[in-house]
Amino acid sequence: MNVATSEREDKLLKSVLTALSETAVFKLDDSGQDVIFNQDSIYRKLLATTEPVDINGDKEAKGSLRVLKTSLNDGTNPYLNYSRGTVTSTNDPDLNLADYQKRVSTFLSLSTTKIVGIDEYEEVESGADAAHESNDDYLTDSSNAELIKYKTGYQTDFHHNRIIFGAPGTGKSYTLNRDKETLLKNGGEYERVTFHPDYSYANFVGTYKPTMVDSVKNLIGSKDERDVLTVLLDDKTAQEKYDLLYEKFKDGDLTRLPLLLGLYSDDKFKTKKKDGSDASGDNSVERNHGRAIRPYVNLISNKQPASEIAYEYVPGPFMRTYVKALKNAQSDSPKPFLLIVEEINRANVAAVFGDIFQLLDRDEDNVSEYAIQTSEDIKKYLAKELGGNPQEYSEIKIPDNMFIWATMNSADQGVFPMDTAFKRRWDFTYLGIDDSEEKIVGKTVELGKGANKRIVEWNELRKAINTELLLYKVNEDKLLGPYFLSKKIVPETEPIDPTKFIATFKSKVIMYLFDDAAKQKRQTLFDGCNDKTTYSSICKEFEEKGVFIFAKNISNKFPATAPTNNLTGDGAE
């Protein structure tokens, strides 16, 4: 039944529904860590900063989090806007989020469902009283004398922004890994990330996320203090707690121990002197003093969780590598810091890199030619990691000791295109279809049964298939590279295991040809098969016929039948 409502009635209804949902608890997965939060933590963060709040996890939303995203997307919370995983304030003049958040916080504090508050971020006061002029090597702020160095003079023959591309199996990742070892042979660090269609700027650079906070660890400094607190919060009598803490306090603040116990317990207990003898009196004065000030002391009680949730800036692989490189750039011995991006074109790179795209344009010293403006969140994070005032980081550049290398397979289906402006900021290296074949030449395996049995060299079979695909006008980037089958299947120093080879050939090579590279030419390519219409039937015939499932242009390249005597996996007697 449809009921006509006014705009005011609609807002009131949404407000009621929102209030009823404030006790709901949501969970997302962040790098394998379950993060639990509620809407109040979102309100707190929005009131503390102007930045959007990210409620995306590393995995697909499930359960209550999916309900929350659907609800926010439908606009049922009048205080929040939701778009593509991030939440912002509606800024409705008729609604006061700050007042509403106070009511929610009070309500949650009276219930058992309170999950967490939000860390309050304070601006760091600059203690500097001198200014420096900026130049090409440094980023400076007139309020601080500290200089941020970008030009270290680090020298290498490797390009700083580099993409290796080619057909599947040509050894792109292997090449980058080999060059990585050369780059870092004298020190430095690297991080590897793989792009995928749902990868975002928040994943790559960083964003605010709910994170686990150990309340005891953060509020209590030393291990001794945490040990004392553990005893105080334990489910023991006041006398048992006193006896356990006596040794810790007897050489110093023994007279204060009854007061401390009074903050946590109403029970009576006997006290002792430093020499271990019983003290006179019933400690009621000290204990009652503790009880009296209990309501006015910000205590950690056993009713609060040991681990809480707070919104913190969580850096992505780019920002982690960037901070390490920049820290090192301030030293006298600069080292390289490398970020490796696998499958860079499987994500929308324009969206993932965002404004970082501008930093990829490097000058002759391999420092970013143009700086970018940073958000308040990034300023605070950099100040926390690198020191100084957040305003020093209003603009940033990539230093010359930071490298970004990537692999790209343009043959993959469903990849995102790269625009020319993005491409021109990278050095592209193409790996030819046969560039890495030298270590697999001569590696043979026995295929087929009976009259169809042949000793087949994998590299020759691969080339024969590629030659046939080229006759079908298949692009070069869809041909088979030498390592289309991994080194585990075609080892460089050991014989090929026929059983493993046949199983992998069916699941990788035949599948790839059937579903992708030769999809429109199945009838021609698999001319030797009786049934060319289904993948399973081709695999079954491959076990019997070996190379004779293929067109004659391929099978005729292997005329010699396999000898009947015992052979090792590489064809040697």
Side-chain angles (χ1 to χ4, degrees):
M1 178 177 66
N2 294 325
V3 178
T5 59
S6 66
E7 182 178 350
R8 180 176 179 278
E9 290 172 330
D10 187 49
K11 284 185 178 181
L12 289 173
L13 178 59
K14 289 180 179 179
S15 297
V16 170
L17 293 173
T18 299
L20 292 174
S21 68
E22 294 299 354
T23 58
V25 177
F26 310 102
K27 181 176 79 172
L28 59 81
D29 183 284
D30 181 32
S31 300
Q33 174 71 58
D34 285 342
V35 178
I36 314 298
F37 67 102
N38 54 17
Q39 289 185 124
D40 183 51
S41 59
I42 299 176
Y43 302 146
R44 288 176 179 269
K45 179 60 199 148
L46 290 174
L47 291 169
T49 179
T50 58
E51 296 297 318
V53 174
D54 179 38
I55 58 172
N56 268 337
D58 295 333
K59 295 183 179 179
E60 181 183 1
K62 297 179 180 178
S64 59
L65 182 57
R66 180 178 291 179
V67 174
L68 173 64
K69 289 186 174 184
T70 301
S71 172
L72 293 176
N73 194 51
D74 292 340
T76 58
N77 188 319
Y79 299 95
L80 303 177
N81 285 327
Y82 175 79
S83 176
R84 301 178 67 85
T86 58
V87 181
T88 55
S89 174
T90 58
N91 295 318
D92 189 325
D94 296 332
L95 299 171
N96 189 313
L97 178 58
D99 289 344
Y100 178 71
Q101 187 279 320
K102 290 179 181 178
R103 295 197 298 272
V104 172
S105 181
T106 301
F107 166 68
L108 292 176
S109 66
L110 296 173
S111 72
T112 60
T113 57
K114 185 176 182 180
I115 303 301
V116 71
I118 293 182
D119 287 348
E120 298 294 335
Y121 291 86
E122 297 180 359
E123 292 291 336
V124 179
E125 294 293 333
S126 171
D129 55 6
H132 289 255
E133 294 182 1
S134 62
N135 57 37
D136 290 340
D137 299 344
Y138 298 90
L139 173 69
T140 68
D141 182 81
S142 60
S143 65
N144 197 294
E146 295 296 320
L147 300 178
I148 302 168
K149 187 177 179 182
Y150 290 118
K151 181 182 174 181
T152 69
Y154 182 81
Q155 298 294 320
T156 179
D157 292 331
F158 288 115
H159 291 278
H160 283 64
N161 303 337
R162 179 186 183 198
I163 292 178
I164 293 183
F165 69 109
T170 50
K172 298 180 289 296
S173 295
Y174 172 82
T175 300
L176 276 193
N177 201 56
R178 180 196 63 200
D179 292 348
K180 179 253 303 179
E181 297 297 326
T182 302
L183 177 69
L184 304 181
K185 66 180 179 180
N186 295 321
E189 296 182 29
Y190 80 98
E191 184 166 346
R192 191 187 305 270
V193 62
T194 301
F195 279 8
H196 54 79
D198 291 331
Y199 206 73
S200 67
Y201 178 88
N203 299 130
F204 185 58
V205 179
T207 188
Y208 269 94
K209 290 183 179 180
T211 56
M212 300 296 296
V213 175
D214 187 334
S215 58
V216 173
K217 181 178 179 181
N218 280 271
L219 296 180
I220 304 300
S222 70
K223 182 179 184 301
D224 283 343
E225 290 171 328
R226 292 197 295 273
D227 291 342
V228 170
L229 182 63
T230 300
V231 174
L232 292 172
L233 295 179
D234 205 349
D235 188 19
K236 290 181 171 63
T237 66
Q239 186 64 57
E240 290 172 326
K241 293 177 182 179
Y242 182 90
D243 293 341
L244 287 169
L245 295 174
Y246 172 77
E247 292 296 328
K248 283 186 175 292
F249 281 77
K250 73 174 184 178
D251 295 329
D253 298 324
L254 187 58
T255 57
R256 294 184 178 136
L257 182 53
L259 173 64
L260 181 61
L261 283 168
L263 291 171
Y264 289 83
S265 175
D266 295 327
D267 299 339
K268 292 183 178 181
F269 50 91
K270 292 177 62 177
T271 59
K272 293 185 287 187
K273 299 178 182 178
K274 290 186 177 181
D275 61 7
S277 62
D278 290 343
S280 60
D282 62 0
N283 64 68
S284 59
V285 175
E286 294 90 346
R287 178 165 47 83
N288 287 337
H289 281 166
R291 293 174 60 189
I293 66 174
R294 188 187 303 169
Y296 307 103
V297 179
N298 181 21
L299 298 171
I300 303 173
S301 76
N302 56 5
K303 294 181 181 178
Q304 291 179 299
S307 293
E308 296 184 341
I309 312 301
Y311 271 95
E312 294 181 354
Y313 183 84
V314 179
F318 174 86
M319 190 57 68
R320 287 193 294 268
T321 305
Y322 178 76
V323 166
K324 290 177 182 178
L326 208 53
K327 282 181 179 179
N328 178 259
Q330 314 313 307
S331 71
D332 295 329
S333 56
K335 304 292 184 185
F337 288 81
L338 170 64
L339 177 60
I340 297 177
V341 180
E342 298 281 7
E343 308 288 354
I344 190 171
N345 59 332
R346 290 191 64 235
N348 184 347
V349 291
V352 171
F353 277 80
D355 52 358
I356 299 300
F357 158 83
Q358 189 71 23
L359 299 181
L360 299 176
D361 219 349
R362 307 216 191 193
D363 60 22
E364 59 184 12
D365 294 318
N366 292 306
V367 175
S368 296
E369 188 168 0
Y370 307 106
I372 63 168
Q373 299 290 323
T374 53
S375 67
E376 293 300 319
D377 294 338
I378 291 179
K379 289 178 191 176
K380 292 174 182 176
Y381 174 73
L382 292 177
K384 174 186 173 184
E385 293 294 320
L386 302 172
N389 190 305
Q391 296 311 310
E392 294 177 51
Y393 305 94
S394 296
E395 290 186 347
I396 60 171
K397 294 180 179 181
I398 293 178
D400 62 358
N401 64 333
M402 180 173 173
F403 297 74
I404 307 176
W405 294 353
T407 64
M408 183 175 79
N409 183 0
S410 55
D412 282 343
Q413 299 182 26
V415 297
F416 289 84
M418 293 181 180
D419 59 47
T420 303
F422 186 84
K423 286 182 177 180
R424 75 173 182 82
R425 287 166 166 80
W426 299 81
D427 176 78
F428 279 81
T429 302
Y430 180 73
L431 291 187
I433 198 65
D434 298 323
D435 285 354
S436 305
E437 69 175 354
E438 63 276 1
K439 291 186 178 181
I440 64 165
V441 171
K443 303 299 295 185
T444 61
V445 63
E446 185 179 286
L447 300 178
K449 298 178 181 178
N452 296 319
K453 187 184 295 185
R454 295 290 186 274
I455 296 298
V456 176
E457 182 183 348
W458 155 241
N459 197 42
E460 290 303 313
L461 176 58
R462 175 186 70 86
K463 288 184 172 181
I465 294 173
N466 287 342
T467 301
E468 187 71 8
L469 293 177
L470 289 173
L471 293 177
Y472 305 156
K473 308 300 183 185
V474 172
N475 291 335
E476 184 180 358
D477 59 8
K478 284 188 173 292
L479 303 183
L480 305 179
Y483 293 100
F484 192 91
L485 297 182
S486 70
K487 291 182 180 180
K488 292 181 180 180
I489 306 303
V490 185
E492 296 174 355
T493 58
E494 299 176 6
I496 295 175
D497 183 321
T499 303
K500 291 182 179 178
F501 182 92
I502 291 169
T504 308
F505 191 90
K506 290 189 294 184
S507 64
K508 291 188 178 295
V509 178
I510 295 179
M511 172 70 79
Y512 175 65
L513 296 173
F514 186 86
D515 280 342
D516 191 349
K519 187 175 182 178
Q520 307 303 322
K521 293 288 185 177
R522 293 171 182 168
Q523 297 292 322
T524 306
L525 180 64
F526 298 108
D527 185 55
C529 291
N530 296 321
D531 183 358
K532 311 174 185 63
T533 59
T534 62
Y535 166 71
S536 59
S537 63
I538 293 174
C539 289
K540 187 174 182 180
E541 291 194 45
F542 174 71
E543 295 175 358
E544 297 292 329
K545 297 181 177 180
V547 294
F548 291 98
I549 66 168
F550 294 111
K552 292 189 181 298
N553 287 340
I554 298 174
S555 59
N556 286 345
K557 297 208 180 268
F558 306 95
T561 58
T564 56
N565 57 319
N566 249 355
L567 294 171
T568 62
D570 63 355
E573 294 185 8

